[in-house]
Amino acid sequence: GGFIRASRIAHRTSRASVFMGVSLTTTTRVAAATTTTTRVATTRRLRTMVVRRAGGDADGAVVAPGTRTVVDDASKTMGALVRARSAEAIASRGVFSIALAGGSLVKALASVKDYADVDFTKWRVFWVDERCVPHDDDESNYGGAMKALFNDVNVPKSQLYAIDETLCETNAGAAAGCAKAYEDALKALTPDVIGVNDQGLPVFDLLLLGFGPDGHICSLFPDHELLSVTEGWILPITDSPKPPPERITFSLPVVNAAREKVFVASGEGKAEMTAIILEHAPLDGSIPAALVTGDVTWIIDQAGASRLKK
């Protein structure tokens, strides 16, 4: 066995956070696209590093921040990445702040349970978006994450920062109150648990982002007015095109302020949008995932990479 690993995978790149301090309103989208073209283009021209099997399981190789990696087992590679980033953050700052999306992504994260040396007691866990529903609702991202991972590891429950379910006994009318309460809770954790950058934005160690077939991230949907909001950390959305309609979401500047953002593209169903995002997505807000900047890391399985040209 053994891994075929390019030396650049082992090389640690700069982890400085990048803030996209521009508005993407209808009147300023063209100018914003011009000022951010270089940054976004950089994320699109990521080096493709293919980790192949070498008589053993190479999918446990740790990938560098800001790279694109094609593997056989995206879940296992993500588990290895999260284990490594957790150790680095705890060694440097004594805490690991991670924010999650829901759906299949958190199920893939369950592979981190395979590592006995992960210090889950130092984790602080947040959600990049949440449906305004009780925790035991099938639509709850928090509830899904508990079932997939957190019921089985020793992250103290007080360090799992869920939406206040008492504010969303019904979905209608819940988003504004839930967003304010969640933002207040995050601000109470600064600067000891969550750092703050020069623009006054929270700096999470790692965001695990999913993306929909329409290219949405968090609960930031294509051409939605929330993409242009630059004030506020947590935004309410009351007209989600996917049910339930009322949710809360990280703002785009908060997403971009994180030290590292990780996308996982697994399966044929992700292949077309993966190619659009990485190779020719417009910067006009029609594909929100294309607006994520800074250290953006992609883990893609063979099926998810099937539409990529290079």
Side-chain angles (χ1 to χ4, degrees), residues 86-242:
S86 170
E88 292 168 5
I90 292 168
S92 175
R93 294 176 289 280
V95 65
F96 177 51
S97 58
I98 179 172
L100 314 174
S104 59
L105 185 84
V106 75
K107 295 176 182 176
L109 178 61
S111 64
V112 78
K113 292 186 291 187
D114 295 342
Y115 299 102
D117 59 350
V118 176
D119 187 356
F120 289 106
T121 66
K122 299 295 198 303
W123 281 33
R124 302 297 183 105
V125 183
F126 307 85
W127 277 263
V128 298
D129 73 321
E130 182 59 282
R131 293 81 179 261
C132 295
V133 295
H135 297 164
D136 61 0
D137 191 288
D138 288 343
E139 294 285 351
S140 170
N141 286 340
Y142 169 82
M146 293 301 294
K147 293 174 185 175
L149 176 61
F150 295 112
N151 283 334
D152 301 325
V153 298
N154 61 336
V155 179
K157 193 166 185 181
S158 62
Q159 293 169 204
L160 299 169
Y161 297 94
I163 196 171
D164 183 351
E165 65 179 344
T166 68
L167 299 176
C168 46
E169 293 179 358
T170 61
N171 185 250
C178 288
K180 182 180 185 306
Y182 205 70
E183 180 165 328
D184 288 346
L186 297 190
K187 288 182 175 179
L189 297 171
T190 60
D192 296 333
V193 173
I194 308 170
V196 178
N197 67 14
D198 292 341
Q199 289 76 34
L201 294 168
V203 180
F204 294 89
D205 290 314
L206 186 67
L207 304 189
L208 297 183
L209 299 175
F211 61 96
D214 59 356
H216 83 266
I217 57 166
C218 308
S219 282
L220 297 170
F221 293 94
D223 299 315
H224 197 281
E225 62 185 7
L226 290 186
L227 287 171
S228 69
V229 175
T230 57
E231 297 295 326
W233 296 2
I234 307 298
L235 308 178
I237 178 170
T238 60
D239 58 350
S240 167
K242 294 177 60 179

Side-chain angles (χ1 to χ4, degrees), residues 19-36:
F19 168 63
M20 190 178 77
V22 297
S23 171
L24 297 178
T25 58
T26 301
T27 57
T28 61
R29 274 182 179 156
V30 173
T34 301
T35 58
T36 60

Side-chain angles (χ1 to χ4, degrees), residues 251-301:
S251 70
L252 184 60
V254 167
V255 169
N256 286 332
R259 288 187 175 88
E260 183 177 5
K261 285 72 66 172
V262 176
F263 284 105
V264 178
S266 181
E268 293 247 350
K270 297 290 187 182
E272 182 176 2
M273 184 50 65
T274 297
I276 290 172
I277 295 167
L278 291 175
E279 295 180 345
H280 48 76
L283 306 181
D284 60 0
S286 60
I287 306 289
L291 303 178
V292 179
T293 61
D295 272 343
V296 185
T297 303
W298 281 79
I299 298 171
I300 314 169
D301 70 10

Side-chain angles (χ1 to χ4, degrees), residues 25-98:
T25 58
T26 301
T27 57
T28 61
R29 274 182 179 156
V30 173
T34 301
T35 58
T36 60
T37 295
T38 300
R39 286 179 183 171
V40 178
T42 298
T43 67
R44 285 197 197 144
R45 293 196 300 266
L46 297 175
R47 295 163 291 164
T48 300
M49 287 175 276
V50 181
V51 182
R52 295 189 176 93
R53 294 186 184 277
D57 189 357
D59 290 329
V62 178
V63 299
T67 58
R68 184 197 309 170
T69 306
V70 180
V71 296
D72 291 334
D73 189 334
S75 175
K76 190 160 190 175
T77 301
M78 184 170 72
L81 181 149
V82 172
R83 173 202 186 200
R85 304 299 193 262
S86 170
E88 292 168 5
I90 292 168
S92 175
R93 294 176 289 280
V95 65
F96 177 51
S97 58
I98 179 172

